[in-house]
Amino acid sequence: MNEQIIALFEQHPDQFLSGEQLSEKLNCSRTAIWKHIEILRQQGYMFEAVPRRGYRLIGRPEKLDIPSLKSMLATKTLGRTIHYVDEIDSTQTLAHQFAEQGAEEGHLVIAERQTAGRGRMGRRWHSPKGKGIWMSLLLRPRVPLHFTPQLTLLAAVALCRAIRQTVKVEAGIKWPNDLLIDGKKISGILLETSAEDERLRYIVAGIGITANLEPEHFPEELRDVATSLRIESGQPVDREVLISSFLQQFEELYELYHEQGFAPIRLLWEALSVSLHRRIRCQKGGEYVEGYAESIDDSGALSVVLHSGERIKVYSGEVELR
């Protein structure tokens, strides 16, 4: 239905089509047309709506320029092979397939739209077409399996530094790896591992960035908790530049990590954190408790001082800023 609606607008460029016209041509109700127009808006299409005239298509989702992106890359390994798709359920799924087929470290999967993007703790990730950066990066690190959480924090540092450098906004990291601006989420990072006999085989790092979304591209339930780089900066974001910067930052930190361990990454993470030195709410033994986020340890766990004075370690789960 969505494709048929777009085809009708393309047959009548710069013209208004009423809900009645569309419903007659597509043999459905005007309410159904309105619902599909709203879905298309969330996918990145832009419509002008005028009472008694109908809808006019005024903007389409943009496409990434992959040759331009490749020409910008200064990395030695990361992003040197790019698999680009228009639409997919999740870039994570495809990246895992490439990993199992023996793809080399640095293989990057990018999609213009995800229909079932994955976030932390099984959540769905909203990924409208042509408006964000939805990608997965294959890593084959030379570290023990239990060091994986450290790489989650490394990815957050690399992305935060890239955003601050290219978009010039004050992004910060919420433990362990969400990026926020003024308390609203702009990015999420999901690391999925494959291991065998307690040995790490590979990691797929999923990165979702709400780059060029406008307020109408967010579902109603996300508008109070999420924002985009375009909204916060007031300017459209060059996605190719941001991806290139992220890969460069990641590769530099990744090399530093293999040479010097987690200590320098930990310092960088703490400097960019919006979780530390403030009250938070987290889970302990299935119950929510409140305390003061003090630091992170060498495993990447969050050290929290509860109101009772007890110190606990938070290794996973949701942390709320108070």
Side-chain angles (χ1 to χ4, degrees):
M1 179 67 75
N2 291 340
E3 292 175 357
Q4 292 176 38
I5 290 173
I6 294 300
L8 285 172
F9 279 105
E10 289 177 343
Q11 291 166 18
H12 302 84
D14 299 322
Q15 295 182 30
F16 282 92
L17 296 177
S18 69
E20 185 176 354
Q21 287 175 295
L22 292 168
S23 64
E24 287 178 357
K25 289 181 179 293
L26 298 176
N27 194 29
C28 65
S29 68
R30 293 175 64 178
T31 300
I33 293 296
W34 176 82
K35 288 180 178 178
H36 282 284
I37 291 289
E38 291 305 303
I39 290 171
L40 287 165
R41 279 186 167 135
Q42 291 185 13
Q43 292 179 6
Y45 290 91
M46 299 177 67
F47 294 90
E48 180 184 5
V50 176
R52 293 187 293 278
R53 296 189 69 189
Y55 306 96
R56 183 165 68 99
L57 181 63
I58 58 174
R60 294 168 176 78
E62 298 177 5
K63 295 234 180 228
L64 278 162
D65 186 338
I66 300 302
S68 175
L69 170 58
K70 288 183 175 180
S71 72
M72 295 177 188
L73 290 178
T75 54
K76 293 176 284 187
T77 303
L78 303 188
R80 283 300 166 184
T81 301
I82 297 176
H83 189 93
Y84 169 76
V85 294
D86 186 65
E87 185 173 302
I88 195 171
D89 56 352
S90 170
T91 57
Q92 291 289 92
T93 302
L94 187 54
H96 277 286
Q97 292 174 9
F98 283 124
E100 293 294 344
Q101 293 167 10
E104 294 183 350
E105 181 169 68
H107 194 112
L108 184 66
V109 176
I110 307 177
E112 288 291 357
R113 178 176 180 246
Q114 295 182 117
T115 58
R118 299 204 290 271
R120 290 180 63 240
M121 303 175 69
R123 295 191 180 97
R124 292 284 293 270
W125 183 264
H126 179 60
S127 316
K129 193 169 188 176
K131 295 297 179 181
I133 295 172
W134 327 120
M135 60 186 181
S136 295
L137 180 66
L138 174 60
L139 303 171
R140 298 188 183 274
R142 305 180 302 277
V143 298
L145 177 61
H146 63 274
F147 280 16
T148 303
Q150 297 177 346
L151 291 169
T152 300
L153 302 183
L154 186 154
V157 171
L159 183 54
C160 192
R161 285 160 63 100
I163 288 173
R164 286 184 170 212
Q165 180 185 80
T166 60
V167 188
K168 311 299 184 186
V169 290
E170 289 297 308
I173 307 170
K174 173 177 168 283
W175 188 90
N177 53 10
D178 286 343
L179 266 62
L180 310 180
I181 298 176
D182 290 334
K184 288 190 173 184
K185 188 170 178 176
I186 54 165
S187 175
I189 299 169
L190 174 67
L191 265 65
E192 296 177 335
T193 62
S194 175
E196 188 175 283
D197 299 326
E198 295 300 312
R199 180 181 64 84
L200 179 61
R201 296 177 62 229
Y202 66 81
I203 293 174
V204 173
I207 313 293
I209 310 168
T210 53
N212 285 320
L213 279 73
E214 300 284 8
E216 62 268 22
H217 297 143
F218 289 100
E220 189 69 36
E221 65 271 17
L222 294 181
R223 290 177 185 173
D224 290 337
V225 297
T227 185
S228 75
L229 296 176
R230 180 168 187 158
I231 292 170
E232 297 303 317
S233 68
Q235 300 290 332
V237 173
D238 189 320
R239 293 186 293 164
E240 292 85 358
V241 169
L242 180 52
I243 294 171
S244 173
S245 177
F246 165 70
L247 293 173
Q248 182 67 34
Q249 291 282 349
F250 196 113
E251 186 166 279
E252 291 174 2
L253 294 175
Y254 195 54
E255 291 177 354
L256 178 66
Y257 174 75
H258 278 105
E259 292 171 1
Q260 299 183 27
F262 183 58
I265 307 303
R266 174 181 173 180
L267 291 174
L268 291 170
W269 188 95
E270 289 178 339
L272 295 169
S273 170
V274 296
S275 299
L276 296 183
H277 315 304
R278 63 185 296 175
R279 286 177 57 230
I280 64 164
R281 184 171 181 257
C282 60
Q283 280 187 307
K284 181 196 175 190
E287 295 182 355
Y288 280 98
V289 295
E290 291 194 9
Y292 178 79
E294 190 175 49
S295 62
I296 57 170
D297 66 15
D298 287 338
S299 70
L302 187 64
S303 179
V304 180
V305 181
L306 302 183
H307 294 327
S308 64
E310 177 188 0
R311 276 184 169 79
I312 65 169
K313 299 283 189 182
V314 181
Y315 293 93
S316 62
E318 194 70 14
V319 166
E320 297 176 11
L321 305 179
R322 309 300 282 176

